[in-house]
Amino acid sequence: MKNFIVIIFLAFLTISCSKEKDPNDPSQQDELPPITQTGAYTFGCLLDGEVWIPKHYSNSIVNPPVVLQAYLYKTNGNLFQVIATRDRKDDNSPLQILGLFTFTNAVGDTIILPSSEIGPRFVYERLPPRNGGVFKVYYSTGNENSWVYLSRLDTNARIASGTFSVDLINTDNNKDTVRIREGRFDVPF
């Protein structure tokens, strides 16, 4: 019995130890998830050339933050929505939210994402760090680099998958732009 308790204690100790990521170690860098159509609960893109995947930094096991959500709205032309969040790592980092909206009848078609606040669109919100900063909102530009390809929307299996690319412009400063490339999602809804 004593050995069992020691083994359990060592197991918990091992699990609770974590090694900080080394930003210079290529094996510890974030990678884009593969392009799949299985409901793998993945989302990723290159945001201004850097890998962006949803993340949270909470240690809560009971109620961790939700970082990836998908919805199907059967009103207003059957709009499908994916929301991905990257939580603040610390007080000096921003909270980032990416939102993709497209019509469900677009399965198998490449749809240009217009600059709009309704209907198909892409939105990037950057909330400032806790220690100060400016809240920024970016919308898709509607150019040929702003598109979504919805490869699967299965309402029976409740899975949606696709790829996207988008040029975004700050709503308050049209010289402040963001480029998203190699975007992909595969989500249950």
Side-chain angles (χ1 to χ4, degrees):
M1 181 67 173
K2 191 187 292 185
N3 288 341
F4 180 72
I5 292 172
V6 170
I7 290 171
I8 296 294
F9 174 74
L10 290 175
F12 279 118
L13 185 62
T14 302
I15 291 169
S16 66
C17 292
S18 66
K19 184 178 170 185
E20 285 291 317
K21 276 192 171 185
D22 179 0
N24 298 319
D25 183 353
S27 69
Q28 294 184 7
Q29 300 297 317
D30 288 334
E31 295 180 0
L32 289 176
I35 296 174
T36 57
Q37 295 184 11
T38 61
Y41 196 71
T42 58
F43 183 101
C45 61
L46 297 178
L47 192 145
D48 284 337
E50 300 288 324
V51 172
W52 194 99
I53 56 174
K55 287 186 181 180
H56 73 82
Y57 297 94
S58 169
N59 291 326
S60 174
I61 296 172
V62 177
N63 193 18
V66 176
V67 295
L68 184 57
Q69 303 171 44
Y71 305 97
L72 176 63
Y73 297 102
K74 296 207 177 219
T75 58
N76 300 328
N78 290 338
L79 193 65
F80 175 73
Q81 165 185 336
V82 179
I83 303 293
T85 305
R86 179 178 277 183
D87 203 358
R88 291 180 175 96
K89 184 175 184 177
D90 54 39
D91 288 344
N92 298 315
S93 60
L95 171 68
Q96 300 174 60
I97 303 168
L98 298 179
L100 170 65
F101 305 81
T102 189
F103 288 127
T104 59
N105 63 355
V107 176
D109 290 328
T110 299
I111 303 297
I112 298 294
L113 295 168
S115 180
S116 172
E117 292 185 21
I118 58 171
R121 65 193 179 280
F122 198 99
V123 180
Y124 170 48
E125 295 181 351
R126 191 169 195 266
L127 286 73
R130 288 190 179 98
N131 60 9
V134 178
F135 175 72
K136 295 181 178 183
V137 177
Y138 299 80
Y139 278 102
S140 45
T141 61
N143 67 16
E144 68 277 358
N145 293 320
S146 298
W147 54 266
V148 61
Y149 178 77
L150 192 58
S151 56
R152 180 178 183 189
L153 183 70
D154 186 332
T155 55
N156 292 323
R158 301 191 56 81
I159 294 172
S161 307
T163 55
F164 59 92
S165 174
V166 63
D167 288 341
L168 300 157
I169 191 165
N170 186 323
T171 57
D172 294 324
N173 176 0
N174 63 5
K175 296 194 186 313
D176 182 9
T177 61
V178 172
R179 288 175 46 141
I180 293 179
R181 298 294 182 266
E182 298 184 42
R184 71 275 317 267
F185 61 92
D186 183 15
V187 292
F189 62 90

